[in-house]
Amino acid sequence: MLRTIWALLVLWQPGPQQPVVSEHLLFGIPGFGTQGRQLVVREGYALLHDENHKDPLWVSYHLTKAYTAKVVKRKDNFRPDPLLKPGFRAELADYQGSSWSRGHMCPANDSTRSKKVMDECFYLSNMVPQNQQNNGGIWARLESTAHSYAEKFGDVTIITGPVFDKPLPNGAVQEKTIGNGSVAIPTWIYKIIIRKDAQGSYQTLAFEVPNVPVKPITDGQLKTYLVSVRRIEQDTRLNFLNALSITVQDKIETKAATTLWSPSVP
């Protein structure tokens, strides 16, 4: 029943607003409706923000080959999200003096099609505290891989977000939060990539990467972080791709891919 409701693909906001329909929400709106969570829909992405963690639970965006056009260059414009209430959102001061980077969920390299989209990607609601070496290492590689799929296949949807409290490898321990605002630090970060193949069937790649130093790696090594969508659902307690039929979800969510799509990063 729940999956049928989500499959409507239309969200009614409280008050007089019109239904929100977005290309970034074609696969559903996981986790919406829980107290303390706010849906934010922008031109470049949609996200579900959680005021308890002061992080997005997921950021979803539709990326086409046309959207990868390099119309504008990256211009750092980090700032708090004006659509979220102060006291319930991350602030610049939370990151200042910490050892954690402002890790984009929808990256700047996927936001180059216009100045507006580039500006949007620098709201702190589109970020989580991320290990700096991770951000510039394995995560940069994974972002480049996803970007290359949009260029190769012409149309993908990418869903990215944090996993909290899942134990780190080898018993590693990290801080729980940063800043006076207690912005939660994820232990893992996930990415789900969805596309249609030439036969019209959906294909998925899903990754979970520990939020620890991981240097740039090859595609062969990146495969070691492939998981099933169901694994991410268990770790986040979110129901992804819920706009699809249960039959299709069972087909594309239950098993981890064993190889990356080819070609990926040149």
Side-chain angles (χ1 to χ4, degrees):
M1 181 63 180
L2 178 61
R3 296 190 182 194
T4 302
I5 294 172
W6 286 127
L8 294 174
L9 297 180
V10 174
L11 172 67
W12 286 95
Q13 298 272 32
Q17 296 95 332
Q18 295 297 311
V20 174
V21 181
S22 170
E23 65 178 305
H24 306 303
L25 297 173
L26 294 179
F27 290 97
I29 312 170
F32 178 77
T34 301
Q35 186 176 2
R37 297 177 180 178
Q38 180 175 337
L39 182 72
V40 176
V41 180
R42 294 195 161 96
E43 185 174 332
Y45 58 80
L47 64 84
L48 187 68
H49 182 265
D50 181 75
E51 67 180 32
N52 294 314
H53 292 94
K54 299 184 180 177
D55 287 319
L57 297 181
W58 51 259
V59 177
S60 177
Y61 62 101
H62 182 216
L63 189 64
T64 68
K65 184 175 182 179
Y67 285 174
T68 64
K70 305 299 183 183
V71 177
V72 298
K73 295 182 179 180
R74 172 173 174 147
K75 184 177 181 180
D76 290 1
N77 187 18
F78 295 98
R79 61 207 189 280
D81 192 329
L83 297 181
L84 304 175
K85 295 179 180 179
F88 297 93
R89 68 187 187 191
E91 304 287 350
L92 290 172
D94 291 316
Y95 284 89
Q96 291 172 354
S98 79
S99 61
W100 298 88
S101 68
R102 295 165 291 199
H104 285 81
M105 299 293 91
C106 175
N109 193 45
D110 290 342
S111 306
T112 57
R113 60 189 179 272
S114 74
K115 182 180 182 301
K116 179 181 180 182
V117 173
M118 180 60 71
D119 284 344
E120 289 177 343
C121 88
F122 281 92
Y123 286 123
L124 295 180
S125 58
N126 179 41
M127 303 175 193
V128 301
Q130 188 171 9
N131 177 276
Q132 293 181 3
Q133 291 177 265
N134 183 290
N135 194 7
I138 185 175
W139 197 251
R141 176 82 183 192
L142 185 50
E143 288 177 337
S144 295
T145 298
H147 185 90
S148 74
Y149 292 148
E151 294 179 319
K152 168 63 178 179
F153 301 113
D155 190 318
V156 298
T157 291
I158 301 167
I159 305 170
T160 305
V163 177
F164 300 105
D165 300 323
K166 178 178 179 177
L168 288 166
N170 303 318
V173 178
Q174 69 179 28
E175 301 171 82
K176 293 290 187 181
T177 63
I178 59 169
N180 292 332
S182 297
V183 179
I185 303 170
T187 52
W188 295 69
I189 307 173
Y190 68 83
K191 189 180 294 290
I192 302 169
I193 309 169
I194 313 104
R195 70 176 178 94
K196 275 189 175 181
D197 63 21
Q199 290 71 44
S201 297
Y202 289 107
Q203 303 290 332
T204 59
L205 292 177
F207 301 83
E208 273 192 356
V209 176
N211 192 11
V212 297
V214 183
K215 296 179 180 180
I217 58 176
T218 65
D219 279 358
Q221 292 169 309
L222 191 59
K223 289 193 307 182
T224 64
Y225 295 96
L226 283 166
V227 297
S228 69
V229 175
R230 290 285 164 84
R231 174 74 266 173
I232 297 174
E233 289 183 329
Q234 292 169 11
D235 291 342
T236 61
R237 296 182 291 279
L238 294 170
N239 177 23
F240 294 102
L241 312 185
N242 50 55
L244 300 175
S245 71
I246 294 177
T247 300
V248 172
Q249 288 184 65
D250 287 342
K251 182 177 181 180
I252 65 177
E253 292 186 357
T254 52
K255 293 183 179 180
T258 57
T259 187
L260 305 184
W261 300 329
S262 181
S264 56
V265 179

